[in-house]
């Protein structure tokens, strides 16, 4: 069964304290892995798409990496404004309903000043 | 701003009633997706349309229906509303029919009293 698991569920960091969020997945084939940021009561904001193992993408303090089984979202020297829930989604291969994304439950990140 | 618009932002109604949520995709995007997010729950995929045709179906109740019009905007109809239908409803759009980066709207918060 296609599955996406994110860990930890919640993470509290001090400003400047770097860390990583994990997204592990089991799907039959991989069309793409997506990272989003969601603020409370708002729509998810697209961050990155990764397509193949070994791929890396960066944006400001965020860096996403991908292996055959998991993805990491590295946060370097976070600031309070990085506080949000980070969502991971995977697009499995196959036809029909397998086209839909499989979503993780997210990691809630709080960065204290 | 993702370019996806949703109306209304808030909706308060009573049990048993029917409501319609509206979504306009980003310019040029042909795919529209609908999601439900209840308090402290993950994103639940409801349904996808591509260029007017239903493409994929998720956990959408029979009381819910959707359509995509020739101008590509989409509507999600929720009927015989129950208290448990209270949630955030998000629309997302993407350029392609297959798994592709989805851009989310700001959401409609539905409260059923």
């Amino acid at each position: 069964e296609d599955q996406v698991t994110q860990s930890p569920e919640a993470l509290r960091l001090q400003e400047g304290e770097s860390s990583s969020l994990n997204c592990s997945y089991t799907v039959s084939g991989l069309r793409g892995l997506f990272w989003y940021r969601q603020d409370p009561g708002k729509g998810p904001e697209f961050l990155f798409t990764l397509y193949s193992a070994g791929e890396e993408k960066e944006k400001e303090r965020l860096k996403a990496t991908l292996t055959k089984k998991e993805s990491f979202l590295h946060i370097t020297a976070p600031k309070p404004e990085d506080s949000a829930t980070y969502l991971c989604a995977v697009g499995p291969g196959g036809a029909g309903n397998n086209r839909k994304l499989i979503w993780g439950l997210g990691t809630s990140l709080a960065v204290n000043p | 701003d993702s370019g996806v618009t949703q109306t209304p932002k808030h909706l308060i109604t009573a049990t048993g009633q029917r409501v319609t949520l509206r979504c306009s995709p980003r310019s040029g995007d042909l795919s529209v997706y609908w999601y439900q997010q209840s308090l402290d729950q993950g994103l639940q995929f409801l349904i996808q349309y591509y260029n007017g045709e239903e493409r994929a179906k998720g956990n959408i109740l029979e009381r819910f229906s959707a359509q995509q019009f020739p101008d590509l905007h989409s509507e999600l109809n929720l009927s015989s509303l129950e208290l448990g239908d209270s949630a955030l409803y998000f629309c997302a759009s993407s350029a392609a029919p297959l798994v592709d980066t989805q851009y989310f709207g700001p959401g409609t918060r539905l409260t059923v009293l």
Side-chain angles (χ1 to χ4, degrees):
Chain A
E1 181 184 350
D2 296 334
Q3 195 169 3
V4 174
T5 303
Q6 291 190 246
S7 61
E9 289 185 14
L11 181 63
R12 186 175 294 275
L13 300 173
Q14 288 299 122
E15 184 172 2
E17 180 187 1
S18 301
S19 187
S20 296
L21 313 182
N22 178 264
C23 172
S24 63
Y25 62 92
T26 52
V27 294
S28 50
L30 178 70
R31 289 184 182 273
L33 185 142
F34 307 84
W35 281 100
Y36 289 82
R37 167 197 171 123
Q38 186 176 26
D39 293 303
K42 303 290 180 67
E45 174 190 345
F46 169 71
L47 294 174
F48 304 108
T49 304
L50 302 169
Y51 292 104
S52 57
E55 190 174 359
E56 298 182 352
K57 288 194 177 172
E58 284 188 71
K59 179 181 178 181
E60 296 180 354
R61 295 178 293 282
L62 300 177
K63 178 180 177 180
T65 62
L66 180 64
T67 72
K68 288 186 178 180
K69 293 184 178 180
E70 60 191 348
S71 176
F72 291 94
L73 184 65
H74 307 278
I75 304 178
T76 302
K79 299 182 177 182
E81 53 261 43
D82 294 322
S83 298
T85 295
Y86 290 84
L87 299 171
C88 171
V90 170
N97 280 340
N98 284 336
R99 294 191 180 113
K100 63 183 182 183
L101 295 181
I102 311 298
W103 291 84
L105 294 180
T107 292
S108 177
L109 173 67
V111 182
N112 297 325
Chain B
D1 185 357
S2 67
V4 178
T5 61
Q6 289 186 249
T7 57
K9 289 185 179 179
H10 302 276
L11 201 48
I12 301 175
T13 188
T15 55
Q17 295 298 304
R18 172 190 171 95
V19 297
T20 297
L21 312 183
R22 182 188 170 105
C23 166
S24 291
R26 294 187 320 157
S27 177
D29 283 358
L30 299 179
S31 256
V32 169
Y33 309 77
W34 286 98
Y35 290 87
Q36 180 192 59
Q37 188 175 46
S38 302
L39 192 63
D40 296 328
Q41 296 292 315
L43 278 169
Q44 298 294 318
F45 168 71
L46 296 177
I47 198 164
Q48 177 201 358
Y49 279 83
Y50 174 74
N51 204 21
E53 293 189 2
E54 182 183 305
R55 198 75 181 204
K57 221 167 185 176
N59 300 320
I60 188 166
L61 300 172
E62 286 192 10
R63 300 183 286 109
F64 296 0
S65 65
Q67 55 184 325
Q68 187 179 27
F69 295 87
D71 66 353
L72 301 177
H73 91 272
S74 178
E75 293 181 356
L76 178 67
N77 300 296
L78 315 176
S79 61
S80 303
L81 285 168
E82 302 175 358
L83 295 178
D85 297 327
S86 296
L88 274 166
Y89 290 85
F90 292 108
C91 167
S93 74
S94 71
L98 299 181
V99 171
D100 196 1
T101 300
Q102 296 180 21
Y103 296 89
F104 284 77
T108 292
R109 181 176 293 280
L110 174 66
T111 302
V112 183
L113 301 175

